[in-house]
Amino acid sequence: MSTSTRAIAGTRPGPSADSTNRGALRRTKLRLSSPWATVGAIVIAVIWTIPSFGLLVTSFRPPADITTSGWWTAFVNPQFTLANYVNTLNFNDTITVGQSFVNSLVITIPATVFPITLALLAAYAFAWIDFKGKDWLFIAVFAMQVVPLQMALVPLLSMYSNGLTIFGTQIFPGLNLNSLTSTYAEVWISHTIFALPLAVFILHNSVSAIPRDVIEAAKVDGAGHGQTFFRIVLPLSMPAIASFAIFQFLWVWNDLLVATVFAPGANAPITKLLTDLSGTYGQQWYLLSAGTFLAIIVPLIVFFALQRFFVRGLLAGATKG
Amino acid sequence: MSAFFSWLAGLPPLAQIPVVIVAFGIVMVLVVFFIEVAPRSGRGYSIMRLCVAIGVPLAVLLILGIEAGAFWVLIIAAILGGGLFWLDYRARGGSGYVIQLFAFLSPALLLLLIGLVYPAVQTFVNAFRSNDGTHFVGLDNFVWVFSGGSTGLIAFINTIVWVIIAPVFATGIGLLYAVFVDRSRGEKVLKVFIFMPVAISLVGASIIFKFFFDYTQDPQIGLLNQVVEWFGGTPVAWLQNYPLNMVMLIIILIWTQTGFAMVLLSSAIKGVPTEQVEAAELDGTNAWQRFWNVTVPGIRPTIIVVWITISIVSLKVYDIIAATTGGQNDSTVLGYEMVKQFEILPPQAGHSAALALLIFILVTPFIWYNARNLKRQREE
């Protein structure tokens, strides 16, 4: 185990080489930096931030002020309150906004754990077990990314309620969950399935990058596939697992399409409820502004806390959906 | 399985998280345990393999909820399990090999087969069937999409416009910003401002911009119309008239995608050798020439990847339309219209499937090209 970690760590440049390199980079950069570029960047940054900033300020203003004056006037006549957030959390449409926030969590956490676990198992087999037609099967899984979610939604929905019948033979009778109000099973299963092609591909990249010597050393020591999987592949793939987990977490949290089809009722996540509120209460900005920031606070926390993994996961999963 | 989920649905929402994850974990630990002990030799392990080979198909059949005809279920399980056991016995990799392979691969592959391959084929078939799914209608659904006056046609045209406009601006501004921050102080902080929208959901972005575009009689509360008034113009209802509403919605997508483009392009720019830039500088080129003749050729593959990625996102747009206009006043796109067609009453399943198939046809070349491009990059 320890040799393998060292083998992988050894491929990175040592700390001293890294810091001299960075020092040289910084010197070149300072020489090349130009005040005009800085001004240009700041102008774009300001334009990019104003819309969100405006809604953020609005979410702290009293409802009467929001409808009678622009948010920019709040700097002349500052009046701020937390009441919008309290009222919005308890605002009841089909469910309260607070409940939909909880629903988002309940949907997102299992829908991140399931696909990664299943994909890691498959990735291991594709990387370290030899069998006939392996390459062909792997390409088939990879190619499934071509299928847009829109192709799968309607038949999947009917399968959950009516089951699956092929040539008159019932293969699967359906989940029979229609009468239940707060079941998340259909959303979990759908997100798990939709994540699999990409997850298998990404995790395969990292699992197959483990040096062959390490796997073979474990074999010689008498480890079977199960032990190799748990004690070598799982710990060594942690960085890839972490970045994909963050990507999948954000993808599911921010999703609206899958939620609209599979979680329309009492189990709707906050994105779905906000969309409904925006249609029904489109001018109630105290409600929509606070609700929007409740919905984006979780992704922003993830973004600031785990920035490095976040970028890596995002790049890997860019084309999903 | 449905019994388990029914029971689960009765628990408080937050309590469902640990329960379902622990249940899933137990199943996974069992799977890995069998993987580990499967290849061991000895009569006891052989009997266990036989039990697993028959027991797992049986369990799957029961989990799928096929309780009717227990006799047949048992027969099918015995045939499947017997076959599996025989294959395993004869496997070149030794006994236990096939069972291990099955345990590793079948959960993911089975789900993909049931949840993605079969539905995609079904949608393909539905695209050529009537809206109630009873009979074959040939190309009628596509005739509906492309006939004048249908929402399908306007959705198709708009989607094409989205794919043309959004990637150009997102990539262009992203590149511009990447070049700017590369040459300015405080790069990391400046990057955060552009990158943050990437983390925000499209729903959140849509509502942020809906407020920014807000149109009222005096006084204005939406900043855009206030700016228009400050410059002496009259306020505009940005989201009401076609094609202005479409352009405004595309701006929302550009706003979210620019940060993604910027991060990729910025790291590509850092990969362009400094010596090349310095050599060009010594040759007396100006900044623009250096950018156009050294930087851009150096990051060309990344530009293509970014461009295609944003094109694919534009093709599948759903959230922005749903959270703003609801597709009214001709602002609809394929991704949104597809969902709307099966949600209206009676559901127009044929139309919906035809629209989904169109998205598939439009997306495929982009993804194919992207995969090829990525592969070539990796080989270099």
Side-chain angles (χ1 to χ4, degrees):
Chain A
M1 231 344 274
S2 61
T3 48
S4 61
T5 343
R6 238 180 290 139
I8 287 186
T11 58
R12 296 202 198 105
S16 58
D18 201 38
S19 64
T20 44
N21 212 350
R22 217 179 292 150
L25 264 177
R26 193 177 304 139
R27 272 196 303 281
T28 323
K29 197 178 142 113
L30 284 183
R31 196 170 58 75
L32 285 173
S33 76
S34 100
W36 290 112
T38 312
V39 170
I42 290 174
V43 168
I44 298 180
V46 167
I47 295 175
W48 238 245
T49 313
I50 280 182
S52 356
F53 183 69
L55 198 70
L56 181 64
V57 171
T58 304
S59 71
F60 291 108
R61 300 181 72 207
D65 289 9
I66 296 174
T67 48
T68 52
S69 61
W71 57 268
W72 49 91
T73 59
F75 297 108
V76 190
N77 175 26
Q79 281 216 314
F80 296 113
T81 164
L82 277 174
N84 292 340
Y85 283 88
V86 178
N87 292 336
T88 302
L89 272 174
N90 297 315
F91 184 83
N92 206 320
D93 189 49
T94 47
I95 46 172
T96 69
V97 175
Q99 277 169 326
S100 74
F101 186 89
V102 171
N103 285 339
S104 278
L105 276 178
V106 181
I107 288 172
T108 310
I109 295 172
T112 305
V113 174
F114 297 166
I116 290 179
T117 314
L118 298 179
L120 199 63
L121 281 175
Y124 177 85
F126 280 124
W128 297 109
I129 303 184
D130 285 321
F131 58 94
K132 241 186 207 165
K134 178 164 96 166
D135 294 339
W136 185 87
L137 198 61
F138 183 67
I139 290 172
V141 171
F142 173 71
M144 275 178 219
Q145 290 177 68
V146 177
V147 179
L149 293 192
Q150 281 91 344
M151 286 284 277
L153 295 178
V154 181
L156 205 53
L157 185 67
S158 103
M159 199 191 298
Y160 288 141
S161 47
N162 307 327
L164 174 62
T165 306
I166 295 180
F167 301 124
T169 316
Q170 191 175 60
I171 293 175
F172 169 58
L175 285 174
N176 287 316
L177 298 172
N178 293 347
S179 55
L180 299 167
T181 46
S182 65
T183 169
Y184 304 91
E186 295 179 2
V187 211
W188 288 331
I189 298 173
S190 309
H191 274 303
T192 302
I193 291 170
F194 295 152
L196 279 175
L198 189 69
V200 171
F201 178 68
I202 303 234
L203 296 177
H204 176 263
N205 282 349
S206 99
V207 170
S208 62
I210 296 170
R212 181 165 283 275
D213 298 352
V214 176
I215 303 278
E216 265 158 21
K219 286 254 161 66
V220 171
D221 289 347
H225 283 306
Q227 281 203 6
T228 315
F229 179 80
F230 256 121
R231 304 187 47 185
I232 295 184
V233 172
L234 195 64
L236 286 184
S237 311
M238 264 313 163
I241 294 174
S243 26
F244 188 76
I246 289 166
F247 167 76
Q248 175 70 6
F249 181 91
L250 288 176
W251 203 88
V252 176
W253 182 277
N254 286 339
D255 161 78
L256 175 66
L257 183 57
V258 177
T260 304
V261 177
F262 299 108
N267 53 350
I270 193 161
T271 48
K272 170 79 177 107
L273 196 68
L274 271 180
T275 308
D276 292 348
L277 294 181
S278 166
T280 331
Y281 303 92
Q283 292 306 316
Q284 310 275 27
W285 287 110
Y286 78 95
L287 187 67
L288 284 174
S289 58
T292 303
F293 282 98
L294 285 171
I296 66 184
I297 195 81
V298 171
L300 287 186
I301 291 171
V302 172
F303 170 66
F304 281 113
L306 304 160
Q307 233 183 71
R308 189 192 316 188
F309 286 120
F310 176 84
V311 172
R312 218 187 300 156
L314 203 79
L315 303 188
T319 56
K320 189 184 162 185
Chain B
M1 188 154 68
S2 53
F4 171 71
F5 283 133
S6 302
W7 170 77
L8 198 63
L11 297 177
L14 283 174
Q16 295 190 26
I17 304 178
V19 172
V20 76
I21 288 182
V22 166
F24 177 79
I26 291 172
V27 175
M28 285 301 124
V29 166
L30 270 179
V31 168
V32 179
F33 173 73
F34 281 126
I35 287 174
E36 186 60 24
V37 300
R40 294 187 187 167
S41 56
R43 183 187 291 268
Y45 287 111
S46 291
I47 293 172
M48 200 186 74
R49 269 197 294 279
L50 184 63
C51 290
V52 169
I54 294 176
V56 168
L58 189 67
V60 169
L61 290 175
L62 290 177
I63 283 172
L64 285 177
I66 306 175
E67 292 97 353
F71 176 69
W72 286 108
V73 168
L74 209 63
I75 297 281
I76 296 170
I79 292 172
L80 282 176
L84 181 61
F85 184 72
W86 183 75
L87 268 177
D88 195 45
Y89 185 71
R90 301 247 340 228
R92 209 178 292 160
S95 41
Y97 170 83
V98 173
I99 290 182
Q100 285 183 315
L101 195 60
F102 253 72
F104 272 120
L105 280 178
S106 56
L109 293 187
L110 209 64
L111 276 176
L112 282 175
L113 209 60
I114 299 177
L116 210 57
V117 177
Y118 166 77
V121 172
Q122 183 70 48
T123 299
F124 185 85
V125 173
N126 284 352
F128 301 96
R129 290 164 77 108
S130 63
N131 279 320
D132 54 9
T134 51
H135 57 279
F136 184 76
V137 294
L139 291 172
D140 277 9
N141 292 319
F142 294 92
V143 171
W144 172 82
V145 172
F146 291 108
S147 63
S150 77
T151 43
L153 181 64
I154 194 76
F156 180 78
I157 294 170
N158 289 351
T159 298
I160 301 294
V161 176
W162 276 74
V163 178
I164 293 170
I165 297 182
V168 177
F169 282 91
T171 314
I173 302 172
L175 180 58
L176 189 73
Y177 197 78
V179 172
F180 280 165
V181 291
D182 192 46
R183 310 201 54 196
S184 57
R185 292 166 193 229
E187 179 176 347
K188 272 192 185 147
V189 178
L190 281 170
K191 273 183 170 174
V192 166
F193 287 99
I194 306 292
F195 194 63
M196 218 153 49
V198 180
I200 297 175
S201 61
L202 285 177
V203 173
S206 301
I207 294 175
I208 285 171
F209 269 83
K210 222 178 139 188
F211 185 65
F212 183 69
F213 296 150
D214 196 65
Y215 166 69
T216 47
Q217 301 307 315
D218 273 332
Q220 294 303 325
I221 59 168
L223 184 62
L224 191 57
N225 273 327
Q226 181 66 65
V227 171
V228 169
E229 275 192 355
W230 278 333
F231 281 96
T234 40
V236 182
W238 302 103
L239 295 179
Q240 263 167 35
N241 300 312
Y242 186 80
L244 182 66
N245 53 11
M246 175 175 62
V247 174
M248 289 307 173
L249 297 186
I250 296 177
I251 287 176
I252 303 176
L253 188 72
I254 295 171
W255 184 75
T256 62
Q257 297 300 310
T258 299
F260 164 76
M262 181 270 294
V263 166
L264 251 81
L265 294 168
S266 174
S267 65
I269 287 174
K270 301 237 181 303
V272 176
T274 333
E275 300 85 54
Q276 285 185 17
V277 182
E278 278 168 354
E281 211 176 349
L282 286 176
D283 289 344
T285 54
N286 62 31
W288 173 252
Q289 287 168 325
R290 280 200 298 281
F291 169 71
W292 204 244
N293 296 324
V294 180
T295 310
V296 169
I299 60 172
R300 220 179 71 99
T302 311
I303 295 182
I304 295 174
V305 169
V306 168
W307 192 287
I308 289 179
T309 305
I310 300 174
S311 301
I312 295 170
V313 175
S314 318
L315 272 171
K316 298 180 188 171
V317 155
Y318 166 80
D319 314 36
I320 294 178
I321 315 288
T324 52
T325 62
Q328 280 174 352
N329 303 316
D330 291 339
S331 59
T332 188
V333 293
L334 288 178
Y336 180 78
E337 199 59 27
M338 175 264 152
V339 174
K340 206 180 136 203
Q341 287 296 320
F342 86 79
E343 279 187 335
I344 52 178
L345 288 173
Q348 307 289 301
H351 293 168
S352 174
L355 293 166
L357 188 56
L358 269 178
I359 298 175
F360 174 71
I361 293 169
L362 291 173
V363 156
T364 306
F366 284 103
I367 292 188
W368 176 77
Y369 188 79
N370 206 12
R372 218 185 56 155
N373 194 29
L374 282 175
K375 192 169 161 244
R376 211 168 28 192
Q377 250 179 306
R378 199 161 293 162
E379 278 164 3
E380 269 167 17

